[in-house]
Amino acid sequence: MRALVFTKASTVELQDLDEPRPAPGEVAIRVVASGICGSELHGVRHTDFRKPPLVMGHELAGTTADGRRVTVNPLLSCDSCDQCLRGDEHLCRNRAILGIHRPGAFAETVVVPEAAVYVIPDSMSFETAAMVEPLANAVHAVRLARPEGNPRIAVIGAGTIGLVTLLVALEHSDQVTISDLDEGRLAIASRLGGRAVTELTGEFDIVIDAVGAEQTHKISVDVLRPGGVAVWIGLLSTQAGFDGQEIVRSEKRVLGSYCYRRADFAEALEIAGRVRLDWTTTFPFESGAEIFGELLEGRRDVIKALLQP
């Protein structure tokens, strides 16, 4: 089969590999669409977390040998550690992630545990189904914020995670503002129903940072009302960047959001059927290495690239 392989820092290559065979309890999926995640663009610049040679890809949709149209929860938990037993399987001490710890979906075929497979509706396109995974991240982040009433919500960043967070936030409030410096992305955010701005002003009950830079960390805290909550989902910087005394004096809360619970993934699959996810761009699998390189070099006219083997 053909596969897009992370071979060394900042390099992915199209290669021919042996087709994987499922073990008991696993299923082979013929991939129809797979998304390039921002975490993969960051990850391939180094070899400390994702270890080459590696077939990446954790956002996918495809078909099984028995004809099911499916997507996959790529977060694989042990179901036996203390975190799993308390219902936080996304924080499993033994977790594995498709495309990081085992071969992923940048291939014509991927093998996954049967328990990770979710059947999609006949009315749902494979391109939409491949977006369920990023949407699940947004479901989890918004859930952590515990929106009540009609809260003033701000989303920082109008990339993929920012836009899906906007869509989920709009399920809870009609007062959702999204900020970015890219006018093209702001235009899409506005079309999706958000109040699109280049700079956040005023104050908000909830701020979700979908960028994760030191500067956006600071902004997320600065524009919070006293007692408000900031949820950090972006991973761009390791530096916090905010005033710790402001957290104390105004009882502001900062929460990290990582992946999602299975219930979040199931909810994302349901939400995907009614929100607008038509801002993706599809590319043939053969051009995957080229598209990866262009995105690494900063190509901005593509928010979410989907590869079609």
Side-chain angles (χ1 to χ4, degrees):
M1 70 171 185
R2 298 173 304 166
L4 198 61
V5 184
F6 171 35
T7 56
K8 61 183 179 181
S10 299
T11 303
V12 293
E13 301 176 11
L14 191 63
Q15 297 183 356
D16 290 321
L17 302 180
D18 292 335
E19 188 164 300
R21 295 182 178 274
E26 295 182 332
V27 60
I29 296 173
R30 180 65 63 175
V31 179
V32 177
S34 57
I36 298 177
C37 179
S39 67
E40 288 157 342
L41 295 175
H42 295 304
V44 298
R45 289 188 169 92
H46 312 282
T47 59
D48 50 351
F49 185 49
R50 291 170 171 83
K51 302 292 186 182
L54 174 66
V55 178
M56 297 187 298
H58 59 271
E59 305 169 355
L60 73 139
T63 59
T64 62
D66 59 5
R68 289 175 292 164
R69 303 171 74 254
V70 300
T71 187
V72 172
N73 181 342
L75 182 63
L76 312 176
S77 307
C78 73
D79 290 332
S80 60
C81 72
D82 59 328
Q83 294 295 109
C84 287
L85 293 176
R86 65 165 49 99
D88 290 333
E89 69 274 3
H90 62 304
L91 302 179
C92 172
R93 298 184 187 276
N94 307 301
R95 68 190 176 207
I97 300 175
L98 196 69
I100 299 178
H101 305 104
R102 57 185 286 167
F106 291 157
E108 292 180 310
T109 301
V110 62
V111 167
V112 303
E114 177 68 47
V117 174
Y118 289 69
V119 174
I120 65 175
D122 291 340
S123 59
M124 182 176 291
S125 70
F126 288 111
E127 292 76 19
T128 294
M131 291 292 290
V132 171
E133 195 278 341
L135 193 60
N137 281 274
V139 170
H140 185 68
V142 174
R143 187 191 304 276
L144 285 175
R146 297 182 179 180
E148 296 179 351
N150 189 35
R152 298 164 298 173
I153 302 175
V155 179
I156 303 176
T160 296
I161 294 299
L163 290 177
V164 292
T165 300
L166 167 66
L167 291 170
V168 175
L170 287 168
E171 298 270 307
H172 299 270
S173 172
D174 60 11
Q175 300 184 86
V176 184
T177 301
I178 183 167
S179 66
D180 201 283
L181 300 177
D182 188 297
E183 293 292 347
R185 296 187 175 197
L186 289 178
I188 294 174
S190 180
R191 177 165 57 85
L192 294 177
R195 173 178 171 264
V197 300
T198 55
E199 181 181 1
L200 292 178
T201 58
E203 68 174 20
F204 299 88
D205 305 299
I206 296 168
V207 181
I208 300 177
D209 180 3
V211 177
E214 186 173 354
Q215 181 182 10
T216 58
H217 286 164
K218 182 178 186 303
I219 292 170
S220 73
V221 173
D222 287 348
V223 299
L224 271 183
R225 68 162 172 81
V229 57
V231 180
W232 292 0
I233 190 171
L235 289 168
L236 193 59
S237 173
T238 60
Q239 301 303 309
F242 61 81
D243 181 351
Q245 291 188 355
E246 175 70 6
I247 295 290
V248 175
R249 290 178 175 139
S250 297
E251 283 196 357
K252 297 179 179 181
R253 292 175 291 146
V254 176
L255 304 176
S257 178
Y258 183 76
C259 284
Y260 34 76
R261 295 185 176 96
R262 290 177 187 134
D264 299 322
F265 195 90
E267 183 176 341
L269 178 55
E270 189 270 328
I271 292 174
R274 65 172 183 265
V275 298
R276 297 186 65 175
L277 295 168
D278 57 354
W279 36 270
T280 62
T281 307
T282 57
F283 297 93
F285 195 65
E286 292 79 4
S287 63
E290 178 184 355
I291 296 305
F292 227 101
E294 291 175 357
L295 294 173
L296 283 171
E297 291 174 4
R299 180 174 177 177
R300 296 287 295 175
D301 63 319
V302 175
I303 297 178
K304 168 60 70 175
L306 298 178
L307 302 180
Q308 296 180 316

PDB file of all heavy atoms in Angstrom, residues 181-214:
ATOM      1  N   LEU A 181      -5.471  37.213  13.266  1.00  0.00           N
ATOM      2  CA  LEU A 181      -4.844  38.283  12.508  1.00  0.00           C
ATOM      3  C   LEU A 181      -5.024  38.110  11.005  1.00  0.00           C
ATOM      4  O   LEU A 181      -4.686  39.007  10.236  1.00  0.00           O
ATOM      5  CB  LEU A 181      -3.347  38.366  12.846  1.00  0.00           C
ATOM      6  CG  LEU A 181      -3.018  38.652  14.313  1.00  0.00           C
ATOM      7  CD1 LEU A 181      -1.506  38.640  14.530  1.00  0.00           C
ATOM      8  CD2 LEU A 181      -3.614  39.978  14.750  1.00  0.00           C
ATOM      9  N   ASP A 182      -5.553  36.965  10.595  1.00  0.00           N
ATOM     10  CA  ASP A 182      -5.722  36.644   9.179  1.00  0.00           C
ATOM     11  C   ASP A 182      -7.146  36.987   8.744  1.00  0.00           C
ATOM     12  O   ASP A 182      -8.111  36.380   9.222  1.00  0.00           O
ATOM     13  CB  ASP A 182      -5.431  35.161   8.952  1.00  0.00           C
ATOM     14  CG  ASP A 182      -5.393  34.785   7.477  1.00  0.00           C
ATOM     15  OD1 ASP A 182      -6.433  34.916   6.807  1.00  0.00           O
ATOM     16  OD2 ASP A 182      -4.332  34.336   7.015  1.00  0.00           O
ATOM     17  N   GLU A 183      -7.274  37.944   7.834  1.00  0.00           N
ATOM     18  CA  GLU A 183      -8.600  38.403   7.415  1.00  0.00           C
ATOM     19  C   GLU A 183      -9.391  37.300   6.701  1.00  0.00           C
ATOM     20  O   GLU A 183     -10.617  37.223   6.824  1.00  0.00           O
ATOM     21  CB  GLU A 183      -8.471  39.627   6.501  1.00  0.00           C
ATOM     22  CG  GLU A 183      -7.936  40.874   7.201  1.00  0.00           C
ATOM     23  CD  GLU A 183      -8.915  41.441   8.222  1.00  0.00           C
ATOM     24  OE1 GLU A 183     -10.092  41.040   8.220  1.00  0.00           O
ATOM     25  OE2 GLU A 183      -8.492  42.290   9.031  1.00  0.00           O
ATOM     26  N   GLY A 184      -8.695  36.443   5.945  1.00  0.00           N
ATOM     27  CA  GLY A 184      -9.388  35.354   5.263  1.00  0.00           C
ATOM     28  C   GLY A 184     -10.024  34.387   6.233  1.00  0.00           C
ATOM     29  O   GLY A 184     -11.165  33.948   6.044  1.00  0.00           O
ATOM     30  N   ARG A 185      -9.304  34.058   7.290  1.00  0.00           N
ATOM     31  CA  ARG A 185      -9.848  33.143   8.302  1.00  0.00           C
ATOM     32  C   ARG A 185     -10.971  33.808   9.097  1.00  0.00           C
ATOM     33  O   ARG A 185     -11.946  33.151   9.466  1.00  0.00           O
ATOM     34  CB  ARG A 185      -8.725  32.654   9.211  1.00  0.00           C
ATOM     35  CG  ARG A 185      -7.697  31.836   8.460  1.00  0.00           C
ATOM     36  CD  ARG A 185      -6.659  31.191   9.336  1.00  0.00           C
ATOM     37  NE  ARG A 185      -5.787  30.344   8.524  1.00  0.00           N
ATOM     38  CZ  ARG A 185      -5.005  29.405   9.025  1.00  0.00           C
ATOM     39  NH1 ARG A 185      -4.952  29.202  10.334  1.00  0.00           N
ATOM     40  NH2 ARG A 185      -4.263  28.667   8.224  1.00  0.00           N
ATOM     41  N   LEU A 186     -10.825  35.102   9.349  1.00  0.00           N
ATOM     42  CA  LEU A 186     -11.895  35.819  10.037  1.00  0.00           C
ATOM     43  C   LEU A 186     -13.169  35.857   9.195  1.00  0.00           C
ATOM     44  O   LEU A 186     -14.277  35.805   9.735  1.00  0.00           O
ATOM     45  CB  LEU A 186     -11.446  37.236  10.385  1.00  0.00           C
ATOM     46  CG  LEU A 186     -10.399  37.357  11.505  1.00  0.00           C
ATOM     47  CD1 LEU A 186     -10.008  38.806  11.703  1.00  0.00           C
ATOM     48  CD2 LEU A 186     -10.923  36.764  12.810  1.00  0.00           C
ATOM     49  N   ALA A 187     -13.019  35.931   7.881  1.00  0.00           N
ATOM     50  CA  ALA A 187     -14.187  35.930   7.007  1.00  0.00           C
ATOM     51  C   ALA A 187     -14.940  34.613   7.118  1.00  0.00           C
ATOM     52  O   ALA A 187     -16.177  34.579   7.148  1.00  0.00           O
ATOM     53  CB  ALA A 187     -13.766  36.181   5.559  1.00  0.00           C
ATOM     54  N   ILE A 188     -14.202  33.510   7.208  1.00  0.00           N
ATOM     55  CA  ILE A 188     -14.842  32.201   7.382  1.00  0.00           C
ATOM     56  C   ILE A 188     -15.518  32.136   8.744  1.00  0.00           C
ATOM     57  O   ILE A 188     -16.656  31.669   8.875  1.00  0.00           O
ATOM     58  CB  ILE A 188     -13.810  31.078   7.222  1.00  0.00           C
ATOM     59  CG1 ILE A 188     -13.302  31.037   5.782  1.00  0.00           C
ATOM     60  CG2 ILE A 188     -14.416  29.728   7.615  1.00  0.00           C
ATOM     61  CD1 ILE A 188     -12.177  30.066   5.557  1.00  0.00           C
ATOM     62  N   ALA A 189     -14.837  32.626   9.785  1.00  0.00           N
ATOM     63  CA  ALA A 189     -15.414  32.621  11.128  1.00  0.00           C
ATOM     64  C   ALA A 189     -16.707  33.420  11.173  1.00  0.00           C
ATOM     65  O   ALA A 189     -17.688  33.018  11.815  1.00  0.00           O
ATOM     66  CB  ALA A 189     -14.408  33.185  12.127  1.00  0.00           C
ATOM     67  N   SER A 190     -16.730  34.550  10.487  1.00  0.00           N
ATOM     68  CA  SER A 190     -17.944  35.373  10.433  1.00  0.00           C
ATOM     69  C   SER A 190     -19.068  34.629   9.717  1.00  0.00           C
ATOM     70  O   SER A 190     -20.228  34.662  10.149  1.00  0.00           O
ATOM     71  CB  SER A 190     -17.636  36.692   9.729  1.00  0.00           C
ATOM     72  OG  SER A 190     -18.778  37.504   9.651  1.00  0.00           O
ATOM     73  N   ARG A 191     -18.727  33.948   8.631  1.00  0.00           N
ATOM     74  CA  ARG A 191     -19.732  33.181   7.893  1.00  0.00           C
ATOM     75  C   ARG A 191     -20.315  32.051   8.748  1.00  0.00           C
ATOM     76  O   ARG A 191     -21.486  31.691   8.607  1.00  0.00           O
ATOM     77  CB  ARG A 191     -19.096  32.609   6.618  1.00  0.00           C
ATOM     78  CG  ARG A 191     -20.011  31.723   5.794  1.00  0.00           C
ATOM     79  CD  ARG A 191     -19.443  31.509   4.406  1.00  0.00           C
ATOM     80  NE  ARG A 191     -18.117  30.932   4.399  1.00  0.00           N
ATOM     81  CZ  ARG A 191     -17.865  29.630   4.461  1.00  0.00           C
ATOM     82  NH1 ARG A 191     -18.861  28.762   4.576  1.00  0.00           N
ATOM     83  NH2 ARG A 191     -16.625  29.177   4.432  1.00  0.00           N
ATOM     84  N   LEU A 192     -19.504  31.529   9.668  1.00  0.00           N
ATOM     85  CA  LEU A 192     -19.969  30.452  10.534  1.00  0.00           C
ATOM     86  C   LEU A 192     -20.832  30.962  11.692  1.00  0.00           C
ATOM     87  O   LEU A 192     -21.434  30.164  12.403  1.00  0.00           O
ATOM     88  CB  LEU A 192     -18.770  29.673  11.095  1.00  0.00           C
ATOM     89  CG  LEU A 192     -17.933  28.902  10.065  1.00  0.00           C
ATOM     90  CD1 LEU A 192     -16.748  28.235  10.751  1.00  0.00           C
ATOM     91  CD2 LEU A 192     -18.774  27.872   9.327  1.00  0.00           C
ATOM     92  N   GLY A 193     -20.855  32.279  11.885  1.00  0.00           N
ATOM     93  CA  GLY A 193     -21.745  32.833  12.901  1.00  0.00           C
ATOM     94  C   GLY A 193     -21.062  33.545  14.041  1.00  0.00           C
ATOM     95  O   GLY A 193     -21.729  34.043  14.953  1.00  0.00           O
ATOM     96  N   GLY A 194     -19.731  33.620  14.033  1.00  0.00           N
ATOM     97  CA  GLY A 194     -19.028  34.295  15.108  1.00  0.00           C
ATOM     98  C   GLY A 194     -18.844  35.776  14.839  1.00  0.00           C
ATOM     99  O   GLY A 194     -18.913  36.229  13.698  1.00  0.00           O
ATOM    100  N   ARG A 195     -18.632  36.531  15.894  1.00  0.00           N
ATOM    101  CA  ARG A 195     -18.235  37.937  15.763  1.00  0.00           C
ATOM    102  C   ARG A 195     -16.730  37.930  15.594  1.00  0.00           C
ATOM    103  O   ARG A 195     -15.990  37.616  16.532  1.00  0.00           O
ATOM    104  CB  ARG A 195     -18.648  38.727  16.997  1.00  0.00           C
ATOM    105  CG  ARG A 195     -18.140  40.162  17.020  1.00  0.00           C
ATOM    106  CD  ARG A 195     -18.637  40.913  18.250  1.00  0.00           C
ATOM    107  NE  ARG A 195     -17.971  42.210  18.383  1.00  0.00           N
ATOM    108  CZ  ARG A 195     -16.901  42.422  19.153  1.00  0.00           C
ATOM    109  NH1 ARG A 195     -16.384  41.422  19.885  1.00  0.00           N
ATOM    110  NH2 ARG A 195     -16.349  43.626  19.207  1.00  0.00           N
ATOM    111  N   ALA A 196     -16.248  38.242  14.410  1.00  0.00           N
ATOM    112  CA  ALA A 196     -14.840  38.091  14.065  1.00  0.00           C
ATOM    113  C   ALA A 196     -14.097  39.410  14.226  1.00  0.00           C
ATOM    114  O   ALA A 196     -14.491  40.432  13.667  1.00  0.00           O
ATOM    115  CB  ALA A 196     -14.708  37.580  12.633  1.00  0.00           C
ATOM    116  N   VAL A 197     -12.983  39.394  14.996  1.00  0.00           N
ATOM    117  CA  VAL A 197     -12.210  40.602  15.273  1.00  0.00           C
ATOM    118  C   VAL A 197     -10.721  40.284  15.199  1.00  0.00           C
ATOM    119  O   VAL A 197     -10.307  39.128  15.324  1.00  0.00           O
ATOM    120  CB  VAL A 197     -12.541  41.186  16.662  1.00  0.00           C
ATOM    121  CG1 VAL A 197     -14.019  41.555  16.770  1.00  0.00           C
ATOM    122  CG2 VAL A 197     -12.159  40.204  17.774  1.00  0.00           C
ATOM    123  N   THR A 198      -9.926  41.319  15.016  1.00  0.00           N
ATOM    124  CA  THR A 198      -8.475  41.131  15.025  1.00  0.00           C
ATOM    125  C   THR A 198      -7.892  41.280  16.423  1.00  0.00           C
ATOM    126  O   THR A 198      -6.756  40.870  16.670  1.00  0.00           O
ATOM    127  CB  THR A 198      -7.787  42.140  14.086  1.00  0.00           C
ATOM    128  OG1 THR A 198      -8.179  43.463  14.454  1.00  0.00           O
ATOM    129  CG2 THR A 198      -8.178  41.878  12.637  1.00  0.00           C
ATOM    130  N   GLU A 199      -8.659  41.861  17.346  1.00  0.00           N
ATOM    131  CA  GLU A 199      -8.180  42.053  18.714  1.00  0.00           C
ATOM    132  C   GLU A 199      -9.353  41.970  19.679  1.00  0.00           C
ATOM    133  O   GLU A 199     -10.400  42.594  19.452  1.00  0.00           O
ATOM    134  CB  GLU A 199      -7.491  43.409  18.853  1.00  0.00           C
ATOM    135  CG  GLU A 199      -6.928  43.686  20.235  1.00  0.00           C
ATOM    136  CD  GLU A 199      -6.265  45.051  20.332  1.00  0.00           C
ATOM    137  OE1 GLU A 199      -6.257  45.785  19.317  1.00  0.00           O
ATOM    138  OE2 GLU A 199      -5.758  45.380  21.416  1.00  0.00           O
ATOM    139  N   LEU A 200      -9.175  41.227  20.754  1.00  0.00           N
ATOM    140  CA  LEU A 200     -10.228  41.112  21.755  1.00  0.00           C
ATOM    141  C   LEU A 200     -10.225  42.343  22.650  1.00  0.00           C
ATOM    142  O   LEU A 200      -9.176  42.766  23.146  1.00  0.00           O
ATOM    143  CB  LEU A 200     -10.021  39.863  22.614  1.00  0.00           C
ATOM    144  CG  LEU A 200     -10.194  38.511  21.930  1.00  0.00           C
ATOM    145  CD1 LEU A 200      -9.895  37.373  22.909  1.00  0.00           C
ATOM    146  CD2 LEU A 200     -11.595  38.353  21.356  1.00  0.00           C
ATOM    147  N   THR A 201     -11.404  42.907  22.865  1.00  0.00           N
ATOM    148  CA  THR A 201     -11.569  44.027  23.791  1.00  0.00           C
ATOM    149  C   THR A 201     -12.743  43.730  24.700  1.00  0.00           C
ATOM    150  O   THR A 201     -13.587  42.887  24.395  1.00  0.00           O
ATOM    151  CB  THR A 201     -11.813  45.344  23.037  1.00  0.00           C
ATOM    152  OG1 THR A 201     -12.969  45.212  22.207  1.00  0.00           O
ATOM    153  CG2 THR A 201     -10.604  45.714  22.182  1.00  0.00           C
ATOM    154  N   GLY A 202     -12.814  44.455  25.810  1.00  0.00           N
ATOM    155  CA  GLY A 202     -13.879  44.190  26.773  1.00  0.00           C
ATOM    156  C   GLY A 202     -13.524  43.014  27.646  1.00  0.00           C
ATOM    157  O   GLY A 202     -12.352  42.684  27.840  1.00  0.00           O
ATOM    158  N   GLU A 203     -14.551  42.342  28.180  1.00  0.00           N
ATOM    159  CA  GLU A 203     -14.292  41.182  29.020  1.00  0.00           C
ATOM    160  C   GLU A 203     -15.259  40.061  28.681  1.00  0.00           C
ATOM    161  O   GLU A 203     -16.334  40.279  28.116  1.00  0.00           O
ATOM    162  CB  GLU A 203     -14.381  41.540  30.505  1.00  0.00           C
ATOM    163  CG  GLU A 203     -15.756  41.898  31.011  1.00  0.00           C
ATOM    164  CD  GLU A 203     -15.776  42.091  32.524  1.00  0.00           C
ATOM    165  OE1 GLU A 203     -14.713  42.320  33.128  1.00  0.00           O
ATOM    166  OE2 GLU A 203     -16.869  42.002  33.098  1.00  0.00           O
ATOM    167  N   PHE A 204     -14.851  38.853  29.046  1.00  0.00           N
ATOM    168  CA  PHE A 204     -15.598  37.654  28.681  1.00  0.00           C
ATOM    169  C   PHE A 204     -15.708  36.722  29.880  1.00  0.00           C
ATOM    170  O   PHE A 204     -14.876  36.736  30.785  1.00  0.00           O
ATOM    171  CB  PHE A 204     -14.896  36.931  27.520  1.00  0.00           C
ATOM    172  CG  PHE A 204     -14.789  37.767  26.278  1.00  0.00           C
ATOM    173  CD1 PHE A 204     -13.706  38.620  26.078  1.00  0.00           C
ATOM    174  CD2 PHE A 204     -15.783  37.721  25.316  1.00  0.00           C
ATOM    175  CE1 PHE A 204     -13.606  39.403  24.938  1.00  0.00           C
ATOM    176  CE2 PHE A 204     -15.700  38.500  24.173  1.00  0.00           C
ATOM    177  CZ  PHE A 204     -14.613  39.344  23.989  1.00  0.00           C
ATOM    178  N   ASP A 205     -16.757  35.913  29.860  1.00  0.00           N
ATOM    179  CA  ASP A 205     -16.946  34.916  30.910  1.00  0.00           C
ATOM    180  C   ASP A 205     -16.040  33.704  30.684  1.00  0.00           C
ATOM    181  O   ASP A 205     -15.577  33.074  31.637  1.00  0.00           O
ATOM    182  CB  ASP A 205     -18.406  34.452  30.933  1.00  0.00           C
ATOM    183  CG  ASP A 205     -19.368  35.611  31.087  1.00  0.00           C
ATOM    184  OD1 ASP A 205     -19.279  36.309  32.121  1.00  0.00           O
ATOM    185  OD2 ASP A 205     -20.195  35.834  30.180  1.00  0.00           O
ATOM    186  N   ILE A 206     -15.834  33.377  29.419  1.00  0.00           N
ATOM    187  CA  ILE A 206     -15.044  32.216  29.022  1.00  0.00           C
ATOM    188  C   ILE A 206     -14.139  32.635  27.869  1.00  0.00           C
ATOM    189  O   ILE A 206     -14.580  33.286  26.929  1.00  0.00           O
ATOM    190  CB  ILE A 206     -15.946  31.048  28.559  1.00  0.00           C
ATOM    191  CG1 ILE A 206     -16.819  30.542  29.711  1.00  0.00           C
ATOM    192  CG2 ILE A 206     -15.116  29.905  27.969  1.00  0.00           C
ATOM    193  CD1 ILE A 206     -17.931  29.608  29.252  1.00  0.00           C
ATOM    194  N   VAL A 207     -12.857  32.250  27.948  1.00  0.00           N
ATOM    195  CA  VAL A 207     -11.938  32.460  26.832  1.00  0.00           C
ATOM    196  C   VAL A 207     -11.251  31.136  26.532  1.00  0.00           C
ATOM    197  O   VAL A 207     -10.714  30.489  27.439  1.00  0.00           O
ATOM    198  CB  VAL A 207     -10.877  33.531  27.142  1.00  0.00           C
ATOM    199  CG1 VAL A 207      -9.963  33.729  25.929  1.00  0.00           C
ATOM    200  CG2 VAL A 207     -11.522  34.849  27.542  1.00  0.00           C
ATOM    201  N   ILE A 208     -11.278  30.739  25.278  1.00  0.00           N
ATOM    202  CA  ILE A 208     -10.618  29.494  24.877  1.00  0.00           C
ATOM    203  C   ILE A 208      -9.475  29.852  23.941  1.00  0.00           C
ATOM    204  O   ILE A 208      -9.690  30.432  22.867  1.00  0.00           O
ATOM    205  CB  ILE A 208     -11.610  28.529  24.205  1.00  0.00           C
ATOM    206  CG1 ILE A 208     -12.728  28.193  25.201  1.00  0.00           C
ATOM    207  CG2 ILE A 208     -10.894  27.256  23.741  1.00  0.00           C
ATOM    208  CD1 ILE A 208     -13.816  27.306  24.647  1.00  0.00           C
ATOM    209  N   ASP A 209      -8.264  29.528  24.367  1.00  0.00           N
ATOM    210  CA  ASP A 209      -7.068  29.830  23.574  1.00  0.00           C
ATOM    211  C   ASP A 209      -6.741  28.638  22.689  1.00  0.00           C
ATOM    212  O   ASP A 209      -6.239  27.617  23.164  1.00  0.00           O
ATOM    213  CB  ASP A 209      -5.892  30.153  24.507  1.00  0.00           C
ATOM    214  CG  ASP A 209      -4.616  30.484  23.743  1.00  0.00           C
ATOM    215  OD1 ASP A 209      -4.660  30.524  22.499  1.00  0.00           O
ATOM    216  OD2 ASP A 209      -3.578  30.683  24.408  1.00  0.00           O
ATOM    217  N   ALA A 210      -7.027  28.788  21.397  1.00  0.00           N
ATOM    218  CA  ALA A 210      -6.771  27.721  20.442  1.00  0.00           C
ATOM    219  C   ALA A 210      -5.450  27.918  19.714  1.00  0.00           C
ATOM    220  O   ALA A 210      -5.185  27.245  18.718  1.00  0.00           O
ATOM    221  CB  ALA A 210      -7.914  27.646  19.433  1.00  0.00           C
ATOM    222  N   VAL A 211      -4.618  28.837  20.214  1.00  0.00           N
ATOM    223  CA  VAL A 211      -3.295  29.064  19.641  1.00  0.00           C
ATOM    224  C   VAL A 211      -2.223  28.485  20.555  1.00  0.00           C
ATOM    225  O   VAL A 211      -1.430  27.645  20.152  1.00  0.00           O
ATOM    226  CB  VAL A 211      -3.050  30.569  19.396  1.00  0.00           C
ATOM    227  CG1 VAL A 211      -1.632  30.808  18.868  1.00  0.00           C
ATOM    228  CG2 VAL A 211      -4.086  31.119  18.424  1.00  0.00           C
ATOM    229  N   GLY A 212      -2.183  28.969  21.781  1.00  0.00           N
ATOM    230  CA  GLY A 212      -1.222  28.440  22.745  1.00  0.00           C
ATOM    231  C   GLY A 212       0.118  29.144  22.738  1.00  0.00           C
ATOM    232  O   GLY A 212       1.113  28.597  23.216  1.00  0.00           O
ATOM    233  N   ALA A 213       0.177  30.370  22.214  1.00  0.00           N
ATOM    234  CA  ALA A 213       1.403  31.161  22.277  1.00  0.00           C
ATOM    235  C   ALA A 213       1.470  31.886  23.614  1.00  0.00           C
ATOM    236  O   ALA A 213       0.455  32.074  24.291  1.00  0.00           O
ATOM    237  CB  ALA A 213       1.439  32.174  21.128  1.00  0.00           C
ATOM    238  N   GLU A 214       2.657  32.312  24.006  1.00  0.00           N
ATOM    239  CA  GLU A 214       2.800  33.040  25.264  1.00  0.00           C
ATOM    240  C   GLU A 214       1.912  34.282  25.271  1.00  0.00           C
ATOM    241  O   GLU A 214       1.252  34.587  26.272  1.00  0.00           O
ATOM    242  CB  GLU A 214       4.266  33.426  25.474  1.00  0.00           C
ATOM    243  CG  GLU A 214       4.545  34.069  26.821  1.00  0.00           C
ATOM    244  CD  GLU A 214       6.024  34.278  27.068  1.00  0.00           C
ATOM    245  OE1 GLU A 214       6.844  33.819  26.246  1.00  0.00           O
ATOM    246  OE2 GLU A 214       6.363  34.910  28.091  1.00  0.00           O
TER     247      GLU A 214
END
